[in-house]
């Protein structure tokens, strides 16, 4: 924990982001999602530094979602 805190303090956020993305549940795997727009299929491709989840839909669009705006179907 101390090591990660030092990385955060001293600006190694890019490395921490890459490590987080590498461990993200279902990243890069096709899945069904539900949002206020309905149900759609796509892949999680990234998480923005702001925390928004980026999904690439089957039709090639990139959509972003905040916490609790999206569910696995």
């Amino acid at each position: 924990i101390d090591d990660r805190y030092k990385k955060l303090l001293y600006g190694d956020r890019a490395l921490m982001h890459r490590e987080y993305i590498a461990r993200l549940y279902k990243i890069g795997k096709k899945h069904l999602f539900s949002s206020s727009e309905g149900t759609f299929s796509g892949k999680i491709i990234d998480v923005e530094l702001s925390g928004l989840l980026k999904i690439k839909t089957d039709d090639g669009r990139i959509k972003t979602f905040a916490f609790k705006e999206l569910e696995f179907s």
Side-chain angles (χ1 to χ4, degrees), residues 4-71:
R4 291 218 183 268
Y5 180 69
K6 286 179 184 174
K7 285 180 186 177
L8 184 62
L9 274 181
Y10 300 114
D12 207 351
R13 293 181 180 160
L15 173 62
M16 291 183 72
H17 184 256
R18 287 192 306 272
E19 289 174 348
Y20 175 77
I21 295 301
R23 291 173 176 82
L24 191 62
Y25 181 68
K26 298 225 183 231
I27 185 137
K29 297 179 181 174
K30 188 174 176 179
H31 204 284
L32 282 176
F33 299 94
S34 296
S35 74
S36 61
E37 300 172 12
T39 300
F40 63 94
S41 182
K43 296 178 185 180
I44 299 171
I45 57 170
D46 198 8
V47 177
E48 295 181 355
L49 294 178
S50 65
L52 295 175
L53 189 67
K54 291 177 78 172
I55 307 284
K56 184 174 185 177
T57 63
D58 284 350
D59 62 6
R61 292 182 292 153
I62 306 294
K63 296 183 173 188
T64 56
F65 296 91
F67 185 66
K68 295 195 176 189
E69 288 183 339
L70 186 71
E71 296 178 355

